[in-house]
Amino acid sequence: MGKTSTRRIRLDLLTPAEKSIYDAMQVVEKMAADERLTEAVCLLEQAQNKVADYVDEQLSMK
Amino acid sequence: MGKTSTRRIRLDLLTPAEKSIYDAMQVVEKMAADERLTEAVCLLEQAQNKVADYVDEQLSMK
């Protein structure tokens, strides 16, 4: 955990890809209470973390 | 498979949530060639399908 470890929870530091996944999550969360929608939000969170893993690695190599 | 089965592959028929996940996918795909980004795209696809399952069910009940 280096200086990039808190980047992913700061909206102003998200890359366009992470921000667009985050935004999609907000839209799904507003839809309704349904198990499939909750699963979708979990999958979106996992996707955002995969992208963040890549971005954090790129930043740590600079 | 009823009349809603082809809805999810028609951009003009996507709900805002599905469209925002789809858009996020395009952004991630443009980033770079990396295993984690490919995994992220797969997770986004799964999320979009979960939302589509919910939407198709809602439409079939109308």
Side-chain angles (χ1 to χ4, degrees):
Chain A
M1 303 287 272
K3 71 184 168 96
T4 57
S5 62
T6 54
R7 186 197 59 80
R8 62 179 76 187
I9 56 165
R10 278 188 53 185
L11 277 179
D12 58 327
L13 296 182
L14 294 186
T15 56
E18 292 166 282
K19 184 62 168 57
S20 62
I21 298 173
Y22 176 85
D23 289 341
M25 218 182 298
Q26 308 308 308
V27 178
V28 177
E29 276 179 345
K30 277 183 198 134
M31 282 178 78
D34 185 273
E35 196 186 339
R36 289 156 294 185
L37 300 178
T38 306
E39 287 168 359
V41 171
C42 286
L43 289 163
L44 290 170
E45 199 172 6
Q46 289 171 44
Q48 195 183 330
N49 278 325
K50 290 280 182 191
V51 177
D53 287 344
Y54 170 79
V55 173
D56 283 345
E57 187 190 79
Q58 296 296 308
L59 291 172
S60 72
M61 294 193 297
K62 279 182 183 165
Chain B
M1 302 285 271
K3 71 183 168 99
T4 57
S5 63
T6 54
R7 186 197 58 81
R8 60 180 78 187
I9 56 165
R10 278 189 52 185
L11 277 179
D12 59 325
L13 296 181
L14 294 185
T15 56
E18 291 166 284
K19 183 62 167 59
S20 63
I21 298 174
Y22 176 85
D23 289 341
M25 219 182 296
Q26 309 308 307
V27 179
V28 176
E29 276 178 346
K30 278 185 198 131
M31 281 179 79
D34 185 274
E35 196 186 338
R36 289 157 294 187
L37 300 178
T38 305
E39 287 168 359
V41 170
C42 287
L43 289 163
L44 290 170
E45 200 173 4
Q46 289 172 45
Q48 196 184 329
N49 277 325
K50 290 281 182 191
V51 176
D53 288 345
Y54 170 80
V55 172
D56 283 345
E57 186 191 79
Q58 295 296 308
L59 291 172
S60 73
M61 292 192 298
K62 278 182 184 164

